[in-house]
Amino acid sequence: SPIEINDKVTKNLRHDVGQCGKWTLDDATVWAGYYFRWNPKSIASIISARQHRPDVCLTASGLRQIEDAGTELFHVQGMRLPFRKYTFGSTGGPLHVFFCQWEDGAERQTGMWWSKKAERLRAAWVGRRRLGQQSLEFVISGHPSLEAAAEALRQRLPSLVRIAPPGD
């Protein structure tokens, strides 16, 4: 079912496109998916995109970060999507979070551009500036471990993501 994006979130994120949904699977796990896109515009747009991260947003909403397990590449339709893997504590049990931030034209991306100063400098050096940004995030509850949730995501990701051709 769709999740409505409230005005406060819209104002803070300043995204151009946002879609969110939540569903429960037959195994009683609960999934939420969030997709945001920032069209290529100003530096402020890029900063807004890069500030939207689970370690910032979820902790600000009162959740406690338990684990940051680094980045893992998930394969979908010939693409390698770098998802940062987290576990957060909540009153209902652990939430396993998978977050991918993507910059337009980064088909060979191995991690999030904002994550390393050297990669940001390299991006500027090769003229990659003011490109569109997008993020994809899945929050999964009901799995006993982050690895079990990661395996479930690996299995379901091809049915959850559509890779659009360039210019689409």
Side-chain angles (χ1 to χ4, degrees):
S1 62
I3 298 173
E4 187 174 326
I5 304 169
N6 69 43
D7 292 338
K8 181 180 178 184
V9 170
T10 299
K11 182 179 178 184
N12 287 337
L13 290 179
R14 293 181 251 162
H15 60 278
D16 295 296
V17 176
Q19 295 179 331
C20 311
K22 186 175 182 178
W23 60 98
T24 302
L25 298 180
D26 292 340
D27 63 1
T29 58
V30 179
W31 292 56
Y34 302 87
Y35 170 78
F36 296 104
R37 173 155 178 79
W38 294 263
N39 292 331
K41 299 187 272 200
S42 65
I43 295 298
S45 175
I46 292 170
I47 291 170
S48 292
R50 291 181 181 171
Q51 288 177 339
H52 169 64
R53 303 187 322 257
D55 58 322
V56 173
C57 298
L58 293 179
T59 54
S61 71
L63 296 178
R64 181 177 46 91
Q65 184 177 330
I66 297 171
E67 180 179 9
D68 177 345
T71 302
E72 178 181 339
L73 294 174
F74 286 72
H75 299 272
V76 179
Q77 301 172 26
M79 298 282 290
R80 298 177 320 158
L81 301 178
F83 278 90
R84 189 85 183 210
K85 304 182 302 183
Y86 301 90
T87 299
F88 287 86
S90 74
T91 56
L95 298 175
H96 304 296
V97 178
F98 301 86
F99 179 75
C100 177
Q101 186 177 40
W102 196 265
E103 186 174 76
D104 290 352
E107 287 77 17
R108 298 185 190 277
Q109 182 172 321
T110 58
M112 291 172 266
W113 281 95
W114 53 264
S115 64
K116 297 180 183 149
K117 191 175 188 178
E119 286 195 18
R120 289 194 314 263
L121 291 172
R122 183 171 54 88
W125 179 258
V126 298
R128 295 177 52 82
R129 295 172 173 255
R130 296 188 184 172
L131 296 173
Q133 311 276 317
Q134 50 195 323
S135 68
L136 178 61
E137 180 176 356
F138 293 99
V139 179
I140 306 170
S141 65
H143 283 286
S145 68
L146 181 59
E147 188 48 47
E151 180 58 31
L153 182 61
R154 276 190 284 283
Q155 297 297 316
R156 297 196 183 280
L157 197 57
S159 67
L160 296 172
V161 172
R162 180 180 75 88
I163 307 293
D168 189 9

